[in-house]
Each structure stands twice: as C-alpha cells, then as structure tokens.
C-alpha cells in the first residue's frame, strides 16, 4: 500500500472514528486497515490514534496530520481531474 492510499485509510478511520467502519467504506478487510495505520504510525514515528475497546480518537499529532492529509488528498484529486480534462467544460 502506497503512502497516498495509507493517507486515505487514515482519513477514513478518522472520519468514521472506527477501523471497522473505515474498512467497510473502503472495501478492505479490518486487518488491512489496521496494518495500514500501523505502518503509517511506524513510518512517522508517532501514534495517530488512541485506541480502546470502545473508542478510536485522534491524538494531537493525529489531528494535525488529519488536516494536512485531507488537504493533500483533495489537492491530488483536483490535479488528477485537471490532468484528465474534467475542468475543460464549465459545470
């Protein structure tokens, strides 16, 4: 899984406040989502989520990364759309 896909998984987990909810929305297994977040945390060297049996919450570092990750993913989506020509016609 590349970094952009890991960021997408991270944003979905944060939005859903749930690993299983994100896995359903993304069409991935719950273990795949857990592994993606674990690799992302390991690569970054910080915990992004506080996990308990009942809650998944962003840490302070996770909250800061969430804002940046969401913005980056939106910018990548816009760049792809522009390259594909979807902005060629007015909406």
């Amino acid at each position: 899984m590349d970094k952009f896909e890991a960021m997408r998984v991270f944003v979905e987990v944060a939005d859903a406040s749930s690993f299983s909810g994100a896995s359903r929305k993304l069409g991935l297994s719950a273990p795949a989502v857990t592994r993606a977040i674990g690799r992302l945390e390991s690569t970054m060297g910080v915990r992004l989520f506080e996990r308990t049996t009942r809650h998944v919450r962003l840490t302070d570092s996770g909250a800061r990364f969430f804002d940046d990750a969401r913005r980056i993913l939106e910018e990548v989506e816009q760049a792809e759309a522009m390259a594909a020509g979807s902005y060629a016609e007015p909406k």
Side-chain angles (χ1 to χ4, degrees):
M1 185 176 291
D2 68 11
K3 258 189 195 178
F4 287 116
E5 187 60 26
M7 288 171 66
R8 279 187 179 91
V9 170
F10 167 76
V11 168
E12 287 301 330
V13 171
D15 280 342
S17 296
S18 165
F19 281 68
S20 59
S23 72
R24 283 189 296 275
K25 185 169 182 185
L26 294 167
L28 298 171
S29 69
V33 169
T34 301
R35 282 192 302 273
I37 297 301
R39 280 193 300 271
L40 192 58
E41 289 176 329
S42 179
T43 299
M44 295 175 65
V46 297
R47 299 281 301 171
L48 298 171
F49 293 101
E50 293 176 6
R51 302 162 178 88
T52 67
T53 55
R54 295 182 179 198
H55 300 287
V56 174
R57 293 186 194 128
L58 289 168
T59 62
D60 289 341
S61 295
R64 286 190 298 273
F65 182 63
F66 176 74
D67 293 334
D68 292 335
R70 179 171 284 209
R71 179 184 46 78
I72 290 166
L73 291 171
E74 287 172 357
E75 288 176 5
V76 168
E77 192 173 294
Q78 288 174 356
E80 288 172 344
M82 288 179 72
S86 68
Y87 287 111
E89 296 180 28
K91 292 185 179 180

